[in-house]
Amino acid sequence: MKIKFLDLSKINNRYEPDLSNTVKRVIDSGRYLLGKETASFEEEYSTFIGSEHCVAVASGLDALRLIFRAYIELGSLTEGDEIIVPANTFIATILAITENRLTPVLIDPDINTYNIDPYKIEERISEKTKGILLVHLYGYTAMHPEIKRIIKKYKLKLIEDNAQAAGAVVLAQGKNEIKIHRTGSLGHAAGHSFYPSKNLGALGDGGAVTTNDSKLADVIRTIANYGSKTKYYNRFKGLNSRLDEIQAAILRIKLRGLDADNQRRREIAQYYLDNIKNPYIILPQTYESNRQTGKRNNVFKTICPASCALRLDHVWHLFVIRSPERERLQKYLSDNGIETIIHYPVPPHKQDAFIEWNHISLPVTEEIHKEVISIPISPVMSKADIKYVVTIINGFK
């Protein structure tokens, strides 16, 4: 068998002929930027996320960098302020901070979840700390009661990098009810990516900011349009970062199927967790609250006990396993027709782009980057595909 890591053609063909008809409709309209499709998508996506505002932009990186830039324009941040951020993340997360001349404070992750270790944050807070950039890496929800406590105690901004977790859910147990929140609505603002391989993917680049802060949304929208609200009159030294009408129209169609796609990812992840049994393979040790089975990954109990007020529904953008024999494992899987990708081979603090950090030791991050390998997971995989992946992995020696 041949198992693609992610079959984008198959994923997108499910939406035909709607996609082709929609693209033609936009072409025929003669309006390709800042039109009805973008406005409608912003409204629909903000409703989906549970935020008051959505500003569609050109990419996930732009979404994050615009949030920080807008906070600077509003006086909430100044050059040199520190932003707590996980060391284990895609480099775009860090670039959004450094591009705005803010200072990233890198925190090692929890080895069990790959997300930021909430109990390592408070010791790194200083007088210059003004925010936490929380990354829901691999589609695993990173929110934690300890982070909520720290944000409140130190009056910090909580910004979410939701690039990989569109549709993930946090269920908060209140006195008389369970409140459902999606990632992207947990903090003061969030950046989203619609890169084609994401759970909600466009047919090109795209991104968005969600927030309940009206002033922040207004400033972000203005900066993203050359710093202008009224054509040819510029309030800020802005930039050009806009989602085009064709991508907005495509995303409107695909948004309708996002919850179903995410549920299918959960089912595949649960099958992997239940059936991959190989002492040379380390499975992702995070919480999977499958509503049909109610199963927990046992390791999560040590992180958040049964009495914990938060339940997390991850969306499994990636299914990331670890092995000390990664190179041999990857070749073995390839030889058996299974395509894999490494997310990511080099951590940000060891990149040439940040040579000034190369001397820093972040042992958990470095261990993860040496061992992780992502195996196929997508809503178009068949039962035979999934069983084949499990069989082959279990045969690795």
Side-chain angles (χ1 to χ4, degrees):
M1 294 182 70
K2 296 289 184 183
I3 311 294
K4 288 186 176 182
F5 180 75
L6 185 66
D7 193 336
L8 287 177
S9 294
K10 195 171 182 179
I11 287 172
N12 290 316
N13 283 338
R14 297 175 303 158
Y15 296 97
E16 290 289 14
D18 287 353
L19 288 182
S20 295
N21 292 339
T22 294
V23 170
K24 187 177 187 306
R25 186 186 76 240
V26 175
I27 291 172
D28 291 345
S29 75
R31 184 66 182 265
Y32 309 128
L33 285 169
L34 303 178
K36 292 181 180 179
E37 296 292 345
T38 302
S40 295
F41 172 70
E42 289 178 336
E43 182 178 351
E44 290 162 10
Y45 194 64
S46 64
T47 299
F48 176 82
I49 292 296
S51 63
E52 293 182 16
H53 305 282
C54 171
V55 182
V57 297
S59 69
L61 172 56
D62 275 5
L64 291 175
R65 66 177 183 150
L66 281 163
I67 291 170
F68 289 116
R69 170 71 187 282
Y71 275 133
I72 289 170
E73 295 291 354
L74 288 167
S76 299
L77 295 173
T78 58
E79 183 176 333
D81 283 346
E82 294 177 351
I83 305 296
I84 299 288
V85 65
N88 181 44
T89 186
F90 181 55
I91 198 169
T93 311
I94 310 296
L95 292 174
I97 300 171
T98 58
E99 187 170 316
N100 283 287
R101 300 193 178 190
L102 301 169
T103 303
V105 178
L106 305 178
I107 306 295
D108 246 348
D110 186 312
I111 192 66
N112 294 311
T113 68
Y114 306 143
N115 277 321
I116 193 168
D117 187 332
Y119 297 107
K120 292 179 181 177
I121 294 175
E122 191 164 22
E123 64 189 34
R124 299 297 302 279
I125 291 176
S126 73
E127 292 180 356
K128 292 185 177 181
T129 305
K130 296 298 174 62
I132 297 175
L133 179 48
L134 186 66
V135 183
H136 304 295
L137 194 66
Y138 306 149
Y140 309 161
T141 305
M143 194 56 186
H144 191 281
E146 177 68 4
I147 293 173
K148 189 174 181 180
R149 181 190 71 81
I150 289 171
I151 289 293
K152 183 177 181 180
K153 178 179 177 179
Y154 294 96
K155 297 180 174 58
L156 303 177
K157 296 292 185 186
L158 178 61
I159 300 155
E160 296 173 81
D161 182 340
N162 202 48
Q164 298 184 5
V169 174
V170 175
L171 305 173
Q173 179 69 58
K175 291 183 178 179
N176 301 310
E177 61 179 343
I178 295 177
K179 295 181 179 180
I180 300 174
H181 305 279
R182 292 193 192 269
T183 56
S185 69
L186 306 178
H188 297 91
H192 307 254
S193 170
F194 307 125
Y195 184 75
S197 65
K198 296 298 193 289
N199 291 31
L200 177 61
L203 300 188
D205 269 322
V209 175
T210 54
T211 182
N212 292 332
D213 187 330
S214 299
K215 289 183 179 179
L216 183 71
D218 181 66
V219 172
I220 288 171
R221 191 179 298 279
T222 304
I223 295 171
N225 188 37
Y226 299 99
S228 171
K229 286 186 71 173
T230 304
K231 196 168 186 178
Y232 304 130
Y233 292 86
N234 302 81
R235 180 181 171 192
F236 304 109
K237 296 174 183 175
L239 51 94
N240 176 17
S241 182
R242 301 174 296 199
L243 185 72
D244 68 67
E245 285 286 279
I246 289 177
Q247 299 303 337
I250 288 167
L251 288 167
R252 291 183 68 197
I253 292 172
K254 296 183 72 176
L255 179 60
R256 300 168 197 161
L258 180 57
D259 276 337
D261 279 358
N262 283 342
Q263 182 56 30
R264 179 58 180 152
R265 287 174 177 272
R266 293 185 184 106
E267 292 166 0
I268 296 169
Q270 193 65 57
Y271 187 86
Y272 283 162
L273 291 170
D274 290 344
N275 292 283
I276 294 176
K277 300 182 186 301
N278 187 320
Y280 302 105
I281 303 297
I282 302 169
L283 294 172
Q285 298 174 354
T286 186
Y287 177 47
E288 169 57 21
S289 60
N290 186 297
R291 292 176 184 171
Q292 279 70 45
T293 66
K295 289 184 178 180
R296 279 179 183 265
N297 183 317
N298 289 334
V299 179
F300 189 83
K301 293 179 181 178
T302 65
I303 303 165
C304 190
S307 60
C308 181
L310 295 181
R311 291 179 57 204
L312 312 176
D313 262 343
H314 309 296
V315 293
W316 299 95
H317 171 60
L318 300 169
F319 194 92
V320 182
I321 62 178
R322 289 175 25 233
S323 173
E325 297 280 348
R326 181 176 67 189
E327 283 68 28
R328 199 162 62 82
L329 173 61
Q330 187 170 41
K331 183 179 185 304
Y332 165 80
L333 294 174
S334 178
D335 289 345
N336 284 277
I338 299 173
E339 187 178 7
T340 60
I341 298 179
I342 296 172
H343 296 94
Y344 302 96
V346 183
H349 72 284
K350 296 297 183 183
Q351 297 280 359
D352 290 344
F354 291 112
I355 196 168
E356 67 274 21
W357 295 345
N358 287 178
H359 68 283
I360 295 175
S361 175
L362 292 160
V364 179
T365 296
E366 290 157 24
E367 179 181 351
I368 287 171
H369 282 252
K370 289 176 182 176
E371 295 182 346
V372 290
I373 180 171
S374 302
I375 63 174
I377 183 169
S378 81
V380 297
M381 290 180 71
S382 69
K383 289 182 180 179
D385 293 338
I386 300 159
K387 290 180 178 179
Y388 180 73
V389 171
V390 169
T391 299
I392 296 302
I393 289 177
N394 284 341
F396 177 68
K397 297 179 180 178

